[in-house]
Amino acid sequence: MTDLPAVENLINGEWLRSDHERTVHHKFTGAPLATSYDATPAMVTNAVTVARAASRTPLNPLQRYEILRAVADQIAANREQLALDVARESGFSVKDCLGDTDRAVQTMLTSAEEAKRIDGEVVPIQAAPGFAHRLAFTIRTPVGVVGAITPFNSPLNTVAHKVGPALAAGNAVIVKPSPFTPIAAAALCRMLLDAGLPPGLIGLVLGPGDPVGQALVDDERVDFITFTGSTAAGKAISARLGMRRATMECGNVSATIVCRDADVLSAAQQCARGAFRKSGQVCTSVQRLYIHTDVLDEFLGELSAAASKLVLGDPEDPSTDIGPMISEAAAKRAEEWVHAAVDQGARIVTGGDRTGPMMSPTILVDVAPDARLLCEEAFAPVVSVVPFDDLDAVIDKVNDTPYGLQAGIFTRDLDTALTAAKTLRMGGVVINSTSSTRADLMPYGGVKDSGYGTEGPRYAIRDMTEERLILMEPAGGSR
Ligand code: NAD
């Protein structure tokens, strides 16, 4: 155990161990990868004390830009190694991890650029009765200390989406990554220090949500929580925050609609990728597919063909498309949901097999409307195909979950696209691509139980700053 690389807590530039060791495993081979050390309660308190003190001397926007830009360059320079590290700790194919690493470069670069664009507005105060001689404008100031709690399913880029904007906005930030995947988060912190970030502005506390994440949330000196993870954890955190602000990026039961005028081949190929990439462990993964009856057979044929071409196996192998799920327990749960749907009358078109943590890409039809696979987040490479004839009815179905992150619709008809855009109650509606489509600079976030607040550096910076009004009157009174 001691020969393994260590993943340590970071407080004020010092890397710290504790007595609470945890082994991080290779998610495909099961081999030990590293030993991580859970933060003690005192470490969490210290991390916040240090961040509080450091946040009183924010960097100027140009300094923030230069540091974040340098980190983007470092990620790009270490692309292959980072992708391999993420593939090992997450189980996602190295192909996918290279893509995520490239995205993290963009996230840090965009954060750097946005650090130079934090502005306020002039308020036309003279128009108010009695205010003709005054001036007013707003500025945006850092919130202070940001606590960033991240999930296992994007170990580098989701951390970048929190750390980049938090620092760009002038805050100190403390990261609490998933205990399944702490390696990439620690690597990102190290790059920030190497780029010259004052050490008090970045902290890393390791361990599970309870108690480490909770301790971070419960410390009232943490001004803002940016959380990505399950809706259950998001609700538990929200309930503890009181008046403190937060961004909650939570779960979804993502749907994509394919209309009869769609380009069926392109839609099926995109849906296969959107459903099975990262073994379906993406918050916007295509889980419910509503297909117009006129194109159902053609679509199913193309979707099955695309699924059968996917290569399952060791995520480190460059030819692998799909690696294991995060744990055998997660794969077993997914398998149980498939079996339960079959017991309720569903038919497996392809897949349905599990070996250890590997779940084969699975397509089902005739899934009962109340089956868990249509109502709850599966977070697995499992997609249910449901035929439809009536667009309004299918839009109602897509809206009929507690969630609202993103949805996709394939159509060539402008009216249909606009109807979907206006009536799907989601944070984002994607036309002619799947629900699982994201560029890192775009505003991204959910409604309803999918959460609140917005990611994308420009929007996250808005969330992680406070708007302050400055109202000025000439010292000599009105003239
Ligand atoms: P999770 O909720 O189990 O854990 C997420 C993080 O929260 C981890 O770091 C965990 O340790 C911490 N945590 C858990 N309970 C906590 C508590 N009570 N207090 C403080 N911290 C706590 O999620 P996961 O299994 O790692 O990730 C999968 C989930 O994340 C899925 O539901 C997925 O939809 C969601 N997700 C959402 C988005 C989005 O942008 N909306 C993106 C990625 C993942």
Side-chain angles (χ1 to χ4, degrees):
M1 175 102 58
T2 43
D3 293 343
L4 292 173
V7 188
E8 296 160 309
N9 299 276
L10 174 66
I11 302 173
N12 211 13
E14 276 188 70
W15 295 95
L16 301 172
R17 300 185 181 190
S18 72
D19 295 335
H20 305 265
E21 292 186 6
R22 176 182 296 277
T23 304
V24 184
H25 294 280
H26 191 298
K27 301 303 182 288
F28 181 72
T29 64
L33 283 177
T35 303
S36 78
Y37 296 85
D38 288 5
T40 62
M43 282 181 181
V44 178
T45 303
N46 279 348
V48 180
T49 303
V50 164
R52 239 316 10 102
S55 71
R56 293 204 184 94
T57 340
L59 299 175
N60 70 45
L62 185 58
Q63 291 169 317
R64 299 174 209 166
Y65 164 81
E66 284 168 345
I67 289 168
L68 294 172
R69 215 214 122 110
V71 172
D73 290 346
Q74 286 187 61
I75 298 173
N78 294 293
R79 176 177 186 263
E80 273 76 24
Q81 185 58 51
L82 278 167
L84 199 57
D85 288 345
V86 175
R88 289 172 175 153
E89 70 172 339
S90 67
F92 305 144
S93 69
V94 78
K95 233 187 241 182
D96 281 342
C97 294
L98 284 166
D100 269 17
T101 308
D102 293 342
R103 284 184 53 186
V105 173
Q106 288 303 312
T107 304
M108 294 310 279
L109 205 49
T110 312
S111 298
E113 289 159 353
E114 293 297 338
K116 297 201 285 187
R117 294 183 193 137
I118 301 170
D119 56 9
E121 63 180 39
V122 173
V123 179
I125 196 78
Q126 297 87 359
F131 283 73
H133 300 286
R134 302 193 192 193
L135 276 180
F137 57 94
T138 62
I139 58 172
R140 300 205 76 91
T141 60
V143 290
V145 177
V146 172
I149 300 178
T150 56
F152 74 80
N153 75 317
S154 176
L156 182 64
N157 195 32
T158 295
V159 181
H161 262 290
K162 305 206 172 298
V163 167
L167 294 172
N171 299 296
V173 58
I174 301 168
V175 183
K176 206 302 282 168
S178 165
F180 286 104
T181 55
I183 295 174
L188 188 63
C189 292
R190 199 174 287 281
M191 288 183 218
L192 283 159
L193 294 178
D194 290 349
L197 187 76
L201 291 178
I202 180 75
L204 178 71
V205 290
L206 303 170
D210 180 8
V212 181
Q214 276 189 20
L216 189 62
V217 169
D218 286 346
D219 193 319
E220 300 251 346
R221 299 169 302 160
V222 175
D223 302 280
F224 189 97
I225 290 287
T226 171
F227 168 80
T228 299
S230 61
T231 293
K235 283 185 175 175
I237 291 170
S238 257
R240 301 170 89 97
L241 283 175
M243 295 292 275
R244 284 179 294 152
R245 286 165 50 208
T247 294
M248 291 284 152
E249 298 286 353
C250 300
N252 197 34
V253 189
S254 303
T256 293
I257 302 168
V258 179
C259 298
R260 86 174 125 196
D261 61 352
D263 179 334
V264 172
L265 175 60
S266 163
Q269 287 172 343
Q270 291 187 57
C271 288
R273 178 158 171 71
F276 304 130
R277 179 174 63 103
K278 292 184 167 182
S279 280
Q281 298 166 115
V282 180
C283 49
T284 48
S285 240
V286 179
Q287 180 176 335
R288 299 181 292 157
L289 257 177
Y290 294 99
I291 312 298
H292 195 278
T293 42
D294 289 359
V295 292
L296 180 66
D297 290 343
E298 183 189 356
F299 181 89
L300 256 181
E302 298 294 356
L303 184 70
S304 308
S308 67
K309 286 189 194 130
L310 295 169
V311 178
L312 270 70
D314 185 342
E316 287 190 48
D317 184 331
S319 65
T320 295
D321 295 301
I322 300 178
M325 292 185 64
I326 192 68
S327 64
E328 183 161 356
K332 274 188 180 157
R333 200 251 315 135
E335 184 186 35
E336 278 163 28
W337 285 23
V338 170
H339 288 166
V342 169
D343 289 346
Q344 285 178 274
R347 182 168 61 82
I348 296 174
V349 177
T350 181
D353 317 307
R354 179 188 69 80
T355 312
M358 298 290 298
M359 179 86 195
S360 60
T362 302
I363 303 169
L364 294 109
V365 291
D366 301 331
V367 179
D370 61 346
R372 295 183 94 162
L373 284 178
L374 285 179
C375 305
E376 296 175 43
E377 185 178 45
F379 226 57
V382 181
V383 63
S384 299
V385 174
V386 182
F388 80 91
D389 286 306
D390 175 19
L391 183 70
D392 291 338
V394 85
I395 285 176
D396 286 347
K397 273 192 191 165
V398 172
N399 282 334
D400 190 21
T401 79
Y403 304 98
L405 186 51
Q406 279 201 161
I409 181 164
F410 287 85
T411 179
R412 289 187 166 96
D413 183 72
L414 189 56
D415 285 350
T416 301
L418 287 175
T419 300
K422 283 191 278 189
T423 53
L424 285 169
R425 194 175 165 210
M426 300 285 151
V429 176
V430 185
I431 316 287
N432 285 321
S433 198
T434 72
S435 55
S436 201
T437 308
R438 181 178 183 184
D440 292 285
L441 59 70
M442 75 187 206
Y444 181 79
V447 296
K448 307 197 293 181
D449 275 0
S450 290
Y452 53 85
T454 312
E455 273 194 352
R458 177 176 175 183
Y459 311 92
I461 288 171
R462 197 179 55 194
D463 284 355
M464 293 177 190
T465 48
E466 292 170 353
E467 186 171 47
R468 182 173 303 154
L469 171 80
I470 314 294
L471 180 57
M472 301 177 74
E473 168 142 6
S478 59
R479 284 192 222 181

